[in-house]
Amino acid sequence: MDHLHFPCFLGKRVHLGITGSIAAFRALELLRLLVGLDIQVSAALTEAAQQFIRPLSFEALGASPVQRGMFQGEDPFQHLEPSHVSDCMAIAPATADVISRLAHGMASDLLSCQALAFRGPLVVAPAMNPAMWAAPATKENWKKLLDRGVIGVAPESGQAACGDTGQGRLAKLEAILAEILKALAPKDLDGKKILITFGPTREWFDSVRYWTNPSTGRMGACLAAAAWMRGARVTAVCGPNAFWLPESVERIEVESASQMHQACQELWPDMDMGCLCAAVADYRPKPCADAKFKKRNAPDGFELKFTPNPDILKSLGKNKKPDQMLVGFAAEAVDLLDNAAAKLESKNLDMIVANQVGRSDSGFASATNAITLLDRAGRRETWPVLPKTEAAWKIWDALLQL
Ligand code: C5P
């Protein structure tokens, strides 16, 4: 989840509402994630929530203030506090009961009052028994909230605490966190359609072996998450990787360079921007067997023949329309800037992100990157070694300035 760890939320304030569900303990982890991003968190626990988890746990993990009920604090206006100081309010887990109270504008407890008075973005992540979630009353209440602009993080399917199976489990913390961060982020990429490639490619040469590289996809996952938070409509064409992305990011999973090429060719005409950071194999081995290649067929070793793969970035650059922007990456061990400048030109790019490979704090499988940015306007800027999250955020900043 550290690919969502963007460092630009310092000083933002989130008010966390916790209601009476067995999933209430997961709000503690959510609190830790938010605090880890330097976000100031306050919390309000309903009476039922306090049957599952104690306010003290929230205090111990850095929430302040932690409110327990309408007439239980020193501040007579604690029901209005979030509306005055918080940038976002999030209720996780949200029971059927609190969803009903919100839908009907009830102000019968502290948390409902706070939600009613809150004018900023409200994120609601339900958790309840599947039958309660499927009940017509809950469905209607939920629809009302969504129609009003509440940011809903729908529950997941699986086995509930009671043993019943169906939809009702609290959503993944990544999904809740991402929606909160999105609510806090600037919307300077609002509505932009952005194609992002990332991850390695796999080129199979028999039924059990492939040719690949050590890319994990982290840089592209950070770029995709950052663009999504800033309002873009992101399509990610990605090779095998383990990074979670929000459901509303269209994710097209591919393996080979040819599959990635085909997907990108189809998508590109409809895009505003492309950011291609996949580590595409330049060559693919010719398959040497239909099934598994057997040792007995080549006791003294064997040779693989390689064929060139399509250069996806170059082909998009060739078909780039004047209102489209294209960003490429250059991973080089030597002559980084000369090579990057040549690629900026030859692939008809607007920007190229040059990063050094062959060192532990940059390139493949590293959480940080040493980047020099070059663009068509002549900008050449070397950044200090940065977490890939921060680098991704700055790449979009730079592109918006171009
Ligand atoms: O020419 P080179 O492979 O170094 O260029 C790297 C850039 O080109 C990266 O942005 C990479 O995603 C892209 N690329 C591509 N298709 C290839 C090879 C690289 O899109 N076959």
Side-chain angles (χ1 to χ4, degrees), residues 197 276-278 280-282 309-313 328-329 332 343 347:
T197 69
L276 273 55
C277 66
V280 186
D282 291 325
N309 266 331
D311 188 324
I312 306 167
L313 185 60
F329 275 67
E332 304 280 353
K343 278 177 207 171
K347 302 197 189 200

Side-chain angles (χ1 to χ4, degrees), residues 218-268:
R218 180 184 290 275
M219 189 67 234
C222 292
L223 282 158
W228 173 84
M229 281 177 196
R230 294 165 75 157
R233 289 162 59 188
V234 178
T235 305
V237 179
C238 49
N241 74 91
F243 287 99
W244 176 90
L245 286 176
E247 241 178 61
S248 53
V249 168
E250 191 188 353
R251 187 175 182 133
I252 299 169
E253 315 248 1
V254 297
E255 285 207 320
S256 67
S258 304
Q259 290 167 349
M260 190 175 276
H261 184 229
Q262 196 186 336
C264 290
Q265 292 275 81
E266 285 166 18
L267 292 160
W268 182 231

Side-chain angles (χ1 to χ4, degrees), residues 53-61 66 68:
I53 193 153
R54 290 174 58 79
L56 182 63
S57 306
F58 288 84
E59 278 163 352
L61 291 175
V66 177
R68 294 159 165 80

